[in-house]
Amino acid sequence: MRTGRQSMKNTIAFGITACTICVGVLAAADEGQQKAGSGDATAATSQQTDPANDARIGKRVIVTEAGAPLRTPDAIVWKAYLGETFTVSLTNSEWLWIAEKGGWLWEKQTVMFDAAIPELTERLKKEPTAENYHLRGIAYSAHQQYDKAIADYTQSLKLTPNTAGVLNNRGQAQYFQNNYDAAIRDFDAAISADPKHFVAMNNRALCYIARQDYPAALRDLNAALKLNQEYPEALNNRGVVHSALNNFKAAIKDYSAALKIDDKYIDAYGNRAYAYRQQNQLTEAVADLRTAMEKAPLDFKPVNDLAWMLATVADESVQNPEEAIKLATSACQMTQYANWNTLDTLAAAYAAAGDFESAQQWIATAIEKAGDAEKPGLQKHLEQIQAGQRIVK
């Protein structure tokens, strides 16, 4: 989840947890591990489904069991949290290849994203349990239907009060509606029910970040990392706080630690690139963005970030308007020319190349697509372009 401008800005990470105590991104549920053993991940590496014959390929799934392991023949490469969503790249019988994590996920520990709400609604009709209300709430949250998610979480809590994971997830839905007071109350209650709930601590910190209460955010993130040192999301988010406080060396250290745990953590690459740029370590910044592009070829954000940097950096040895135009065009195509941010980047790229007519066309489109909060900044870009100036950041 990003905050502010997506080009060369910071990304913060949220966690959804299960009902079980202290289940987070890296804490596996024993039941999930036992069930995963009933399949054969090794066989999946040798037989892969023809994409033309399997409708699951290219579709998203939602994890429905906390700690569901993503496997290779040699190791567990990731333990998914409840509600985490993935895109299926390959399949083999009941196994789904998740390229972004580099592992096989057992289909029975997921539900198809598009079918999740009706499928879980049918489950509820048969078994109106706290767990099933919780699961459908997660599905609603994944579909950004936060009012319905909150209603389901609330019903789950009526059936099983003071359940830390459900309180955490309701707090998350409140956060996404900018209801920070309500979110903090839920995270407080989750931590009261389970004082070792490091995910709720991380998530409460995000409310403090949104309020720019950085000391409170640091306290929560430090507490979460004391409980779980191998928590990349908390490390990333602490890096965001350090960046906000202009402590970029500390931010880089935290982003690097997050990437040591998860080298496919694309947002951490983008955030570290931003911090490197503030330190004038431009070679390192470019390298991070190119790595992110390689690791996540379908993600427009690192493409857009690199285009923005090549178009707006002051150092002439790094400037590359021609590549910036190509990358920004690609980012616009990936977002179907509907994202103000990528359109703004394309305008900046054309301005860097001296094509101010095209730049003015694209900045006008960006302003048209943008929300009220973004328009003043884009208007300043328009004024620079109209004056025949390239945008320099």
Side-chain angles (χ1 to χ4, degrees), residues 15 53 73 79 95 98 104 155 164 172 214 223 231 292 296 329 351 383:
N53 297 324
K79 297 172 184 177
W95 290 92
I98 308 303
W104 292 95
Q155 184 59 36
Q172 184 211 39
Y214 300 123
Y231 190 4
T329 300
E383 292 168 2

Side-chain angles (χ1 to χ4, degrees), residues 42-55:
T42 304
T45 61
S46 60
Q47 293 184 347
Q48 297 169 359
T49 306
D50 181 356
N53 297 324
D54 194 325

Side-chain angles (χ1 to χ4, degrees), residues 28 77 79 138 161 199 249 279 302 349:
V77 297
K79 297 172 184 177
I138 287 170
V199 177
K249 288 184 178 180
Q279 292 284 97

Side-chain angles (χ1 to χ4, degrees), residues 1-15 78 81 84-85 100-101 176 206 232-240 243 251-252 254-260 262-276 285 288-305:
M1 181 175 59
R2 287 184 172 258
T3 175
R5 181 186 169 83
Q6 290 180 331
S7 291
M8 297 301 292
K9 288 291 185 181
N10 297 321
T11 305
I12 56 180
F14 226 114
W78 188 253
Y81 57 79
E84 195 165 7
T85 60
E100 64 196 270
K101 297 297 183 185
F176 282 122
L206 302 188
E233 282 76 11
L235 286 163
N236 175 76
N237 295 338
R238 193 170 66 179
V240 170
S243 284
I252 290 167
D254 274 342
Y255 298 139
S256 298
L259 288 165
K260 186 175 181 179
D262 179 10
D263 68 355
K264 296 182 177 65
Y265 196 164
I266 301 307
D267 289 335
Y269 283 111
N271 289 343
R272 190 170 67 176
Y274 173 80
Y276 276 139
D288 267 354
L289 294 174
R290 293 198 189 280
T291 299
M293 287 170 56
E294 291 172 4
K295 290 181 178 289
L298 300 180
D299 191 337
F300 80 92
K301 295 186 292 294
V303 180
N304 189 52
D305 285 354

Side-chain angles (χ1 to χ4, degrees), residues 85-251:
T85 60
F86 297 115
T87 299
V88 178
S89 300
L90 295 169
T91 62
N92 179 47
S93 185
E94 296 179 342
W95 290 92
L96 312 174
W97 177 252
I98 308 303
E100 64 196 270
K101 297 297 183 185
W104 292 95
L105 176 64
W106 197 30
E107 183 180 40
K108 292 186 182 296
Q109 294 174 304
T110 70
V111 63
M112 297 303 296
F113 184 91
D114 293 336
I117 293 172
E119 182 174 327
L120 293 168
T121 297
E122 287 302 312
R123 284 195 205 179
L124 270 169
K125 289 178 181 178
K126 297 175 182 177
E127 296 182 84
T129 63
E131 179 184 3
N132 284 336
Y133 275 110
H134 185 205
L135 286 173
R136 191 175 68 173
I138 287 170
Y140 278 132
S141 287
H143 283 266
Q144 299 181 15
Q145 298 182 38
Y146 298 120
D147 286 336
K148 292 180 178 179
I150 290 168
D152 271 357
Y153 294 142
T154 300
Q155 184 59 36
S156 179
L157 288 164
K158 286 180 180 178
L159 295 171
T160 55
N162 299 319
T163 307
V166 184
L167 286 163
N168 173 77
N169 293 346
R170 190 172 68 177
Q172 184 211 39
Q174 299 281 12
Y175 173 91
F176 282 122
Q177 292 190 317
N178 300 324
N179 295 329
Y180 301 128
D181 287 342
I184 289 172
R185 284 196 297 272
D186 275 340
F187 297 136
D188 286 345
I191 295 165
S192 178
D194 174 12
K196 295 184 179 180
H197 203 303
F198 54 85
V199 177
M201 293 173 189
N202 171 77
N203 292 347
R204 188 172 63 182
L206 302 188
C207 295
Y208 293 133
I209 291 172
R211 290 178 166 179
Q212 299 184 354
D213 185 351
Y214 300 123
L218 276 177
R219 283 196 299 271
D220 268 350
L221 293 168
N222 287 337
L225 287 163
K226 186 176 181 179
L227 289 167
N228 183 0
Q229 296 178 5
E230 299 291 301
Y231 190 4
E233 282 76 11
L235 286 163
N236 175 76
N237 295 338
R238 193 170 66 179
V240 170
V241 174
H242 287 313
S243 284
L245 296 172
N246 294 323
N247 189 354
F248 296 111
K249 288 184 178 180

